Coordinates of all heavy atoms in Angstrom, one line a residue:
M300 N -32.3 -17.1 47.9 CA -32.6 -18.4 47.3 C -33.8 -18.3 46.3 O -34.7 -17.5 46.6 CB -32.9 -19.4 48.3 CG -31.7 -20.0 49.0 SD -32.0 -21.6 49.8 CE -32.9 -21.1 51.3
P301 N -33.7 -19.0 45.3 CA -34.9 -19.0 44.3 C -36.1 -19.6 45.0 O -36.0 -20.5 45.8 CB -34.4 -19.7 43.1 CG -33.2 -20.5 43.6 CD -32.6 -19.8 44.8
H302 N -37.2 -19.2 44.5 CA -38.5 -19.7 45.0 C -39.1 -20.5 43.8 O -39.2 -20.0 42.7 CB -39.4 -18.5 45.3 CG -40.7 -18.8 45.9 ND1 -41.2 -18.1 47.0 CD2 -41.7 -19.6 45.4 CE1 -42.4 -18.6 47.2 NE2 -42.8 -19.5 46.3
F303 N -39.5 -21.7 44.2 CA -40.0 -22.6 43.1 C -41.5 -22.9 43.3 O -42.0 -22.9 44.4 CB -39.2 -24.0 43.2 CG -37.8 -23.8 42.8 CD1 -36.8 -23.6 43.7 CD2 -37.4 -23.8 41.4 CE1 -35.5 -23.4 43.4 CE2 -36.1 -23.7 41.1 CZ -35.1 -23.5 42.0
V304 N -42.1 -23.1 42.1 CA -43.5 -23.5 42.1 C -43.7 -24.7 41.2 O -42.9 -24.9 40.2 CB -44.5 -22.4 41.6 CG1 -44.4 -21.2 42.6 CG2 -44.2 -22.0 40.2
L305 N -44.6 -25.5 41.5 CA -44.9 -26.7 40.7 C -46.3 -26.5 40.0 O -47.2 -26.0 40.7 CB -45.0 -27.9 41.7 CG -45.0 -29.3 41.1 CD1 -43.7 -29.6 40.3 CD2 -45.1 -30.3 42.3
N306 N -46.4 -26.9 38.8 CA -47.7 -26.8 38.1 C -48.6 -27.9 38.5 O -48.2 -29.1 38.4 CB -47.5 -26.8 36.6 CG -48.8 -26.5 35.8 OD1 -49.9 -26.5 36.4 ND2 -48.6 -26.2 34.5
E307 N -49.7 -27.6 39.1 CA -50.6 -28.6 39.6 C -51.1 -29.5 38.5 O -51.4 -30.7 38.7 CB -51.8 -28.0 40.4 CG -52.7 -29.0 41.0 CD -53.8 -28.3 41.8 OE1 -54.0 -27.1 41.7 OE2 -54.5 -29.1 42.5
N308 N -51.2 -28.9 37.3 CA -51.7 -29.7 36.2 C -50.6 -30.3 35.4 O -49.6 -29.7 35.1 CB -52.5 -28.8 35.2 CG -53.7 -28.2 35.9 OD1 -54.4 -28.9 36.7 ND2 -54.1 -27.0 35.5
A309 N -50.8 -31.6 35.1 CA -49.8 -32.3 34.2 C -49.8 -31.8 32.8 O -50.8 -31.3 32.3 CB -50.1 -33.8 34.3
Q310 N -48.7 -31.9 32.2 CA -48.6 -31.5 30.7 C -49.5 -32.4 30.0 O -49.7 -33.6 30.2 CB -47.2 -31.8 30.2 CG -46.1 -30.9 30.9 CD -46.2 -29.5 30.6 OE1 -46.8 -28.7 31.4 NE2 -45.8 -29.1 29.4
T311 N -50.2 -31.9 29.0 CA -51.2 -32.6 28.2 C -50.7 -33.0 26.8 O -51.3 -33.8 26.1 CB -52.5 -31.8 28.0 OG1 -52.2 -30.6 27.4 CG2 -53.2 -31.6 29.4
E312 N -49.5 -32.5 26.5 CA -49.0 -32.9 25.2 C -47.5 -32.8 25.2 O -46.9 -32.4 26.1 CB -49.6 -32.0 24.1 CG -49.3 -30.5 24.4 CD -50.0 -29.6 23.5 OE1 -51.2 -29.8 23.2 OE2 -49.4 -28.6 23.0
G313 N -46.9 -33.3 24.1 CA -45.4 -33.2 23.9 C -44.7 -34.3 24.7 O -45.3 -35.2 25.2
K314 N -43.4 -34.2 24.7 CA -42.6 -35.3 25.3 C -42.7 -35.3 26.8 O -42.3 -36.3 27.4 CB -41.1 -35.1 24.8 CG -40.5 -33.8 25.3 CD -39.0 -33.7 24.7 CE -38.4 -32.4 25.2 NZ -37.0 -32.3 24.7
H315 N -43.2 -34.3 27.4 CA -43.4 -34.3 28.8 C -44.8 -34.6 29.3 O -45.2 -34.3 30.4 CB -42.9 -32.9 29.4 CG -41.4 -32.7 29.3 ND1 -40.9 -31.4 29.2 CD2 -40.4 -33.6 29.1 CE1 -39.6 -31.6 29.0 NE2 -39.2 -32.8 28.9
K316 N -45.6 -35.1 28.4 CA -47.0 -35.5 28.7 C -47.0 -36.3 30.0 O -46.3 -37.2 30.1 CB -47.6 -36.3 27.5 CG -49.1 -36.5 27.6 CD -49.6 -37.1 26.4 CE -51.1 -37.4 26.6 NZ -51.7 -38.1 25.5
G317 N -48.0 -35.9 30.8 CA -48.1 -36.6 32.1 C -47.2 -36.1 33.2 O -47.4 -36.5 34.4
Q318 N -46.3 -35.3 32.9 CA -45.4 -34.8 33.9 C -45.8 -33.4 34.4 O -46.5 -32.6 33.7 CB -43.9 -34.6 33.3 CG -43.3 -35.9 33.0 CD -41.8 -35.7 32.5 OE1 -41.5 -34.7 32.0 NE2 -41.0 -36.7 32.8
R319 N -45.4 -33.1 35.6 CA -45.7 -31.8 36.1 C -44.4 -31.0 36.1 O -43.4 -31.5 36.6 CB -46.3 -31.9 37.5 CG -47.8 -32.2 37.5 CD -48.2 -32.9 38.7 NE -49.6 -33.0 38.7 CZ -50.3 -34.2 38.5 NH1 -49.6 -35.3 38.3 NH2 -51.6 -34.2 38.6
E320 N -44.5 -29.8 35.7 CA -43.3 -29.0 35.5 C -43.0 -28.1 36.8 O -43.9 -27.5 37.4 CB -43.4 -28.1 34.3 CG -43.2 -28.8 33.0 CD -42.9 -27.9 31.9 OE1 -43.6 -26.9 31.7 OE2 -42.0 -28.3 31.1
L321 N -41.7 -28.1 37.1 CA -41.2 -27.2 38.2 C -40.7 -25.9 37.6 O -39.9 -26.0 36.6 CB -40.1 -28.0 38.9 CG -39.5 -27.2 40.1 CD1 -40.3 -27.5 41.3 CD2 -38.0 -27.6 40.3
H322 N -41.1 -24.8 38.1 CA -40.7 -23.5 37.6 C -40.0 -22.7 38.7 O -40.3 -22.8 39.9 CB -41.9 -22.7 37.2 CG -42.6 -23.3 36.0 ND1 -42.4 -23.0 34.7 CD2 -43.6 -24.3 36.0 CE1 -43.2 -23.7 33.9 NE2 -43.9 -24.5 34.7
N323 N -39.0 -21.9 38.3 CA -38.3 -20.9 39.1 C -39.1 -19.6 39.0 O -39.2 -19.0 37.9 CB -36.9 -20.8 38.7 CG -36.1 -19.8 39.5 OD1 -36.6 -18.8 40.0 ND2 -34.8 -20.0 39.6
L324 N -39.8 -19.2 40.1 CA -40.7 -18.1 40.0 C -40.2 -16.8 39.4 O -40.8 -16.3 38.5 CB -41.3 -17.8 41.4 CG -42.6 -17.1 41.5 CD1 -43.7 -17.9 40.9 CD2 -42.9 -16.9 43.0
S325 N -39.0 -16.4 39.9 CA -38.5 -15.1 39.4 C -38.1 -15.2 37.9 O -38.4 -14.3 37.1 CB -37.4 -14.6 40.3 OG -36.4 -15.5 40.4
V326 N -37.4 -16.3 37.6 CA -36.9 -16.4 36.2 C -38.1 -16.7 35.3 O -38.2 -16.1 34.2 CB -35.9 -17.6 36.1 CG1 -35.5 -17.8 34.6 CG2 -34.7 -17.4 37.0
G327 N -39.1 -17.5 35.8 CA -40.3 -17.8 35.0 C -41.1 -16.6 34.7 O -41.7 -16.5 33.6
K328 N -41.1 -15.6 35.6 CA -41.9 -14.3 35.4 C -41.3 -13.6 34.2 O -42.0 -13.1 33.3 CB -41.8 -13.4 36.6 CG -43.0 -13.6 37.5 CD -42.9 -12.7 38.7 CE -44.0 -13.1 39.7 NZ -43.6 -12.8 41.1
E329 N -39.9 -13.6 34.1 CA -39.3 -12.9 33.0 C -39.5 -13.7 31.7 O -39.7 -13.1 30.6 CB -37.8 -12.9 33.2 CG -37.4 -11.9 34.3 CD -35.9 -12.1 34.7 OE1 -35.1 -12.6 33.8 OE2 -35.5 -11.7 35.8
K330 N -39.5 -15.0 31.8 CA -39.6 -15.8 30.5 C -41.1 -16.0 30.1 O -41.3 -16.5 29.0 CB -39.0 -17.2 30.8 CG -37.5 -17.1 31.3 CD -36.5 -17.4 30.2 CE -35.1 -17.4 30.7 NZ -34.1 -17.5 29.7
G331 N -42.0 -15.8 31.0 CA -43.4 -15.9 30.7 C -43.9 -17.4 30.6 O -44.8 -17.7 29.9
C332 N -43.2 -18.3 31.3 CA -43.6 -19.7 31.2 C -44.3 -20.2 32.4 O -44.6 -21.4 32.5 CB -42.3 -20.5 31.0 SG -41.1 -20.3 32.4
L333 N -44.7 -19.3 33.4 CA -45.3 -19.8 34.6 C -46.7 -20.3 34.4 O -47.5 -19.7 33.5 CB -45.3 -18.7 35.7 CG -44.0 -18.3 36.2 CD1 -44.2 -17.1 37.2 CD2 -43.2 -19.4 36.8
P334 N -47.2 -21.3 35.1 CA -48.6 -21.7 35.1 C -49.5 -20.6 35.7 O -48.9 -19.7 36.4 CB -48.7 -23.0 35.9 CG -47.5 -23.0 36.7 CD -46.4 -22.1 36.0
D335 N -50.8 -20.6 35.5 CA -51.7 -19.6 36.1 C -51.5 -19.7 37.6 O -51.3 -20.8 38.2 CB -53.1 -19.9 35.7 CG -53.4 -19.7 34.2 OD1 -52.6 -18.9 33.6 OD2 -54.4 -20.2 33.7
D336 N -51.7 -18.6 38.3 CA -51.5 -18.6 39.7 C -52.3 -19.7 40.4 O -51.8 -20.3 41.4 CB -52.1 -17.2 40.3 CG -51.1 -16.1 40.0 OD1 -50.0 -16.4 39.5 OD2 -51.4 -14.9 40.3
I337 N -53.5 -19.9 40.0 CA -54.4 -20.9 40.7 C -53.8 -22.3 40.6 O -54.1 -23.2 41.4 CB -55.8 -20.8 40.1 CG1 -56.8 -21.5 41.1 CG2 -55.9 -21.4 38.7 CD1 -58.3 -21.2 40.8
N338 N -53.0 -22.6 39.6 CA -52.4 -23.9 39.4 C -51.0 -24.0 40.0 O -50.3 -25.0 39.8 CB -52.3 -24.2 37.9 CG -53.7 -24.4 37.3 OD1 -54.6 -24.8 38.0 ND2 -53.9 -23.9 36.1
Q339 N -50.5 -23.0 40.7 CA -49.1 -23.0 41.2 C -49.1 -23.6 42.6 O -49.8 -23.1 43.5 CB -48.5 -21.6 41.3 CG -48.3 -21.0 39.9 CD -47.7 -19.6 40.0 OE1 -47.4 -19.1 41.0 NE2 -47.6 -18.9 38.8
I340 N -48.3 -24.6 42.8 CA -48.1 -25.2 44.1 C -46.8 -24.7 44.6 O -45.7 -24.9 43.9 CB -48.1 -26.7 44.1 CG1 -49.4 -27.3 43.6 CG2 -47.7 -27.3 45.4 CD1 -49.4 -28.8 43.3
H341 N -46.8 -23.9 45.7 CA -45.5 -23.2 46.1 C -44.6 -24.2 46.9 O -45.1 -24.8 47.9 CB -45.8 -22.0 46.9 CG -46.3 -20.9 46.0 ND1 -45.6 -19.8 45.6 CD2 -47.5 -20.7 45.4 CE1 -46.3 -19.1 44.7 NE2 -47.5 -19.6 44.6
L342 N -43.4 -24.3 46.5 CA -42.4 -25.1 47.2 C -41.5 -24.2 48.0 O -40.6 -24.7 48.6 CB -41.6 -26.0 46.2 CG -42.5 -27.0 45.5 CD1 -41.7 -27.6 44.4 CD2 -43.0 -28.1 46.4
F343 N -41.7 -22.9 48.0 CA -40.9 -22.0 48.7 C -39.5 -22.0 48.3 O -39.1 -22.5 47.2 CB -41.1 -22.2 50.2 CG -42.6 -22.2 50.6 CD1 -43.2 -23.3 50.9 CD2 -43.3 -21.0 50.6 CE1 -44.6 -23.3 51.2 CE2 -44.6 -20.9 50.9 CZ -45.3 -22.1 51.2
E344 N -38.6 -21.4 49.1 CA -37.3 -21.2 48.7 C -36.4 -22.4 48.9 O -36.4 -23.0 50.0 CB -36.7 -20.0 49.5 CG -37.3 -18.7 49.2 CD -36.8 -17.5 49.9 OE1 -36.2 -17.8 51.0 OE2 -36.9 -16.4 49.4
R345 N -35.7 -22.8 47.8 CA -34.8 -23.9 47.9 C -33.5 -23.5 47.3 O -33.5 -22.6 46.4 CB -35.3 -25.2 47.1 CG -36.7 -25.6 47.4 CD -37.0 -25.8 48.8 NE -36.3 -27.0 49.4 CZ -36.3 -27.3 50.7 NH1 -37.0 -26.6 51.5 NH2 -35.7 -28.3 51.1
P346 N -32.4 -24.1 47.7 CA -31.1 -23.6 47.1 C -31.0 -23.8 45.6 O -30.3 -23.0 44.9 CB -30.1 -24.5 47.8 CG -30.8 -25.1 49.0 CD -32.2 -25.1 48.7
S347 N -31.6 -24.8 45.1 CA -31.5 -25.0 43.6 C -32.8 -25.8 43.2 O -33.5 -26.4 44.0 CB -30.3 -25.8 43.2 OG -30.4 -27.1 43.5
C348 N -32.9 -26.0 41.9 CA -34.1 -26.7 41.4 C -34.0 -28.2 41.8 O -35.0 -28.9 41.9 CB -34.3 -26.6 39.9 SG -33.0 -27.3 38.9
R349 N -32.7 -28.7 42.0 CA -32.6 -30.1 42.3 C -33.2 -30.4 43.7 O -33.9 -31.4 43.9 CB -31.1 -30.5 42.3 CG -30.6 -30.4 40.9 CD -29.1 -30.9 40.9 NE -28.5 -30.4 39.6 CZ -28.8 -30.8 38.4 NH1 -29.6 -31.8 38.3 NH2 -28.2 -30.3 37.4
E350 N -33.0 -29.5 44.7 CA -33.6 -29.6 46.0 C -35.1 -29.5 45.9 O -35.8 -30.2 46.6 CB -33.0 -28.6 47.0 CG -31.7 -29.0 47.6 CD -30.5 -28.5 46.7 OE1 -30.7 -28.0 45.6 OE2 -29.4 -28.7 47.2
A351 N -35.5 -28.6 45.0 CA -37.0 -28.4 44.8 C -37.6 -29.6 44.2 O -38.7 -30.0 44.6 CB -37.2 -27.2 43.9
V352 N -36.9 -30.3 43.3 CA -37.5 -31.5 42.7 C -37.5 -32.6 43.7 O -38.5 -33.3 43.8 CB -36.6 -32.0 41.5 CG1 -36.9 -33.4 41.1 CG2 -36.8 -31.0 40.3
L353 N -36.5 -32.7 44.6 CA -36.5 -33.7 45.6 C -37.7 -33.5 46.6 O -38.4 -34.5 47.0 CB -35.2 -33.7 46.4 CG -34.0 -34.3 45.7 CD1 -32.7 -34.1 46.5 CD2 -34.1 -35.7 45.3
L354 N -37.9 -32.2 46.9 CA -39.0 -31.9 47.8 C -40.3 -32.3 47.2 O -41.2 -32.9 47.8 CB -38.9 -30.4 48.2 CG -40.1 -29.9 49.1 CD1 -40.1 -30.6 50.4 CD2 -40.0 -28.4 49.2
A355 N -40.5 -31.9 46.0 CA -41.7 -32.1 45.3 C -42.0 -33.6 45.2 O -43.1 -34.1 45.3 CB -41.7 -31.5 43.9
R356 N -40.9 -34.4 44.9 CA -41.1 -35.8 44.8 C -41.5 -36.5 46.1 O -42.2 -37.5 46.2 CB -39.9 -36.5 44.2 CG -39.8 -36.2 42.7 CD -38.6 -36.8 42.1 NE -38.6 -36.6 40.6 CZ -37.5 -36.5 39.8 NH1 -36.3 -36.7 40.4 NH2 -37.6 -36.3 38.6
A357 N -40.9 -35.9 47.2 CA -41.2 -36.4 48.5 C -42.7 -36.1 48.9 O -43.4 -36.9 49.5 CB -40.3 -35.7 49.6
I358 N -43.2 -34.9 48.5 CA -44.6 -34.6 48.8 C -45.6 -35.3 47.9 O -46.6 -35.8 48.3 CB -44.8 -33.1 48.6 CG1 -43.9 -32.3 49.6 CG2 -46.3 -32.7 48.9 CD1 -43.9 -30.8 49.3
Y359 N -45.2 -35.5 46.6 CA -46.1 -36.1 45.6 C -45.3 -37.3 45.0 O -44.9 -37.2 43.8 CB -46.5 -35.1 44.5 CG -47.1 -33.8 45.1 CD1 -46.4 -32.6 45.2 CD2 -48.4 -33.9 45.5 CE1 -47.0 -31.5 45.7 CE2 -49.0 -32.7 46.1 CZ -48.3 -31.6 46.1 OH -48.9 -30.4 46.7
P360 N -45.2 -38.4 45.7 CA -44.4 -39.5 45.2 C -45.0 -40.1 44.0 O -44.3 -40.8 43.2 CB -44.4 -40.5 46.4 CG -45.5 -40.1 47.3 CD -45.7 -38.6 47.1
D361 N -46.3 -39.9 43.7 CA -46.9 -40.5 42.5 C -46.7 -39.7 41.2 O -47.1 -40.1 40.2 CB -48.4 -40.8 42.7 CG -48.6 -41.8 43.9 OD1 -47.7 -42.6 44.1 OD2 -49.7 -41.7 44.5
W362 N -46.2 -38.5 41.4 CA -46.1 -37.6 40.3 C -44.8 -37.7 39.6 O -43.8 -37.9 40.2 CB -46.3 -36.1 40.7 CG -47.7 -35.8 41.1 CD1 -48.8 -36.7 41.2 CD2 -48.2 -34.5 41.5 NE1 -49.9 -36.0 41.6 CE2 -49.6 -34.7 41.7 CE3 -47.7 -33.2 41.5 CZ2 -50.4 -33.6 42.1 CZ3 -48.5 -32.1 41.9 CH2 -49.8 -32.3 42.2
S363 N -44.8 -37.5 38.3 CA -43.6 -37.4 37.5 C -43.3 -35.9 37.4 O -44.1 -35.2 36.9 CB -43.8 -38.1 36.1 OG -42.7 -37.9 35.3
I364 N -42.1 -35.5 37.8 CA -41.8 -34.1 37.9 C -40.5 -33.8 37.1 O -39.5 -34.5 37.1 CB -41.6 -33.7 39.4 CG1 -42.9 -33.8 40.1 CG2 -41.0 -32.3 39.5 CD1 -42.8 -33.9 41.6
N365 N -40.6 -32.7 36.3 CA -39.5 -32.3 35.4 C -39.3 -30.8 35.5 O -40.3 -30.1 35.6 CB -39.8 -32.8 34.0 CG -38.6 -32.7 33.1 OD1 -37.6 -33.2 33.4 ND2 -38.8 -32.1 31.9
G366 N -38.1 -30.4 35.4 CA -37.8 -28.9 35.4 C -38.3 -28.3 34.1 O -38.2 -28.9 33.1
C367 N -38.7 -27.1 34.2 CA -39.2 -26.3 33.1 C -37.9 -26.0 32.2 O -36.9 -25.6 32.7 CB -39.8 -25.0 33.5 SG -40.1 -23.8 32.2
A368 N -38.1 -26.2 30.9 CA -36.9 -26.0 30.0 C -36.5 -24.5 29.9 O -35.4 -24.2 29.6 CB -37.3 -26.5 28.6
Y369 N -37.4 -23.6 30.3 CA -37.1 -22.2 30.2 C -36.5 -21.6 31.5 O -35.5 -20.8 31.5 CB -38.3 -21.4 29.9 CG -38.9 -21.9 28.5 CD1 -40.0 -22.7 28.5 CD2 -38.3 -21.5 27.3 CE1 -40.5 -23.2 27.3 CE2 -38.8 -22.0 26.1 CZ -39.9 -22.8 26.1 OH -40.4 -23.3 25.0
C370 N -37.1 -22.0 32.7 CA -36.7 -21.3 33.9 C -36.0 -22.3 34.9 O -35.4 -21.8 35.9 CB -37.8 -20.6 34.6 SG -39.2 -21.7 35.1
A371 N -36.0 -23.6 34.6 CA -35.2 -24.5 35.5 C -34.6 -25.6 34.5 O -34.7 -26.8 34.7 CB -36.2 -25.2 36.5
P372 N -33.8 -25.1 33.5 CA -33.3 -26.0 32.5 C -32.3 -27.0 33.1 O -32.2 -28.1 32.5 CB -32.6 -25.0 31.5 CG -32.3 -23.8 32.3 CD -33.4 -23.7 33.3
E373 N -31.6 -26.7 34.2 CA -30.7 -27.6 34.7 C -31.4 -28.9 35.3 O -30.8 -29.9 35.6 CB -29.7 -27.0 35.7 CG -30.4 -26.4 37.0 CD -30.8 -25.0 36.8 OE1 -31.3 -24.6 35.7 OE2 -30.8 -24.2 37.8
C374 N -32.7 -28.7 35.5 CA -33.5 -29.9 36.0 C -34.4 -30.4 34.9 O -35.3 -31.2 35.2 CB -34.3 -29.5 37.2 SG -33.2 -29.2 38.7
D375 N -34.3 -30.0 33.7 CA -35.1 -30.5 32.6 C -34.4 -31.8 32.1 O -33.3 -31.7 31.6 CB -35.1 -29.4 31.5 CG -35.9 -30.0 30.2 OD1 -36.5 -31.0 30.4 OD2 -35.8 -29.3 29.2
E376 N -35.1 -32.9 32.3 CA -34.5 -34.1 32.0 C -34.8 -34.5 30.5 O -34.5 -35.6 30.1 CB -35.0 -35.2 32.9 CG -34.4 -35.0 34.3 CD -35.0 -35.9 35.4 OE1 -35.9 -36.7 35.1 OE2 -34.6 -35.8 36.6
G377 N -35.3 -33.6 29.8 CA -35.5 -33.8 28.4 C -36.6 -34.8 28.1 O -36.6 -35.5 27.2
Ligands
ZN457 ZN1 -40.8 -22.1 33.6

């Protein structure tokens, strides 16, 4: 199963401003889109980014969470 991480820091610009991005660790490593290690919140292995987003929203109900366009595009709500 893929291993997901959440960027602790919200996006500071662009259309996803204020959102925290969810990344697929192994794909993100290849694409070079991962946040710095210190800012990665590990959500561990989930069957898909959708389950990872649900988990992240359950843990951080106040956060707006969106899939990374590069490594979790099926959860990128644009
Ligand atoms: Zn990514």
